[in-house]
Amino acid sequence: MSEKHGLPKARKTWRKLHIGLDPESGHIVTSRLTTEHVGDPGALPGLLAQVADFVCCFIGDGAYDGAPPAAMIRDVFGPDVELAIPPGLRPFEAELIHRINSLSPLTNRATPSRAIALPAMPISR
């Protein structure tokens, strides 16, 4: 386009594929392709609308930590659905991880800092 019309080079945009898996079978039960500006909680209503089966446990990452996503999940799957969502990173934790990564003397690559800064949280069924 820039050669043909003399326009500046367009910025590339990203797409995100949000998926929901059945952990027992490993099958994808829901998916949604969004732009880079839609976060995980923003894609949640579209994902939940595609699930037709009974769900007894919702397992997600820290992006779903909070009252609005939890209320939306319970509205769709009922009040008895078990939520297995670890807390998301708080600003001070993100700063700590950044400092740990910048002090690593062994390598210039990022270390698995979440495992260093935060203990692993077991998920019970």
Side-chain angles (χ1 to χ4, degrees):
M1 292 295 284
S2 62
E3 292 177 12
K4 185 175 182 180
H5 300 289
L7 300 173
K9 185 176 180 181
R11 181 174 175 243
K12 293 182 181 180
T13 60
W14 293 95
R15 299 284 187 247
K16 289 192 219 175
L17 179 61
H18 305 267
I19 59 171
L21 300 172
D22 177 353
E24 292 177 5
S25 69
H27 293 128
I28 296 174
V29 294
T30 182
S31 65
R32 184 166 181 214
L33 186 64
T34 64
T35 65
E36 63 187 302
H37 305 293
V38 177
D40 291 339
L44 187 59
L47 291 169
L48 296 178
Q50 296 176 24
V51 180
D53 295 332
F54 173 75
V55 173
C56 63
C57 181
F58 179 92
I59 303 170
D61 64 7
Y64 300 103
D65 178 34
M72 188 179 311
I73 293 164
R74 287 199 167 99
D75 285 345
V76 172
F77 300 130
D80 295 331
V81 66
E82 179 186 354
L83 299 178
I85 302 170
L89 283 179
R90 307 298 186 251
F92 71 91
E93 293 169 332
E95 177 65 23
L96 176 64
I97 289 171
H98 173 72
R99 289 181 184 201
I100 289 170
N101 285 339
S102 66
L103 296 175
S104 177
L106 300 177
T107 178
N108 290 332
R109 295 183 299 165
T111 58
S113 54
R114 187 161 170 89
I116 293 170
L118 303 173
M121 298 182 66
I123 298 175
S124 61
R125 287 193 169 215

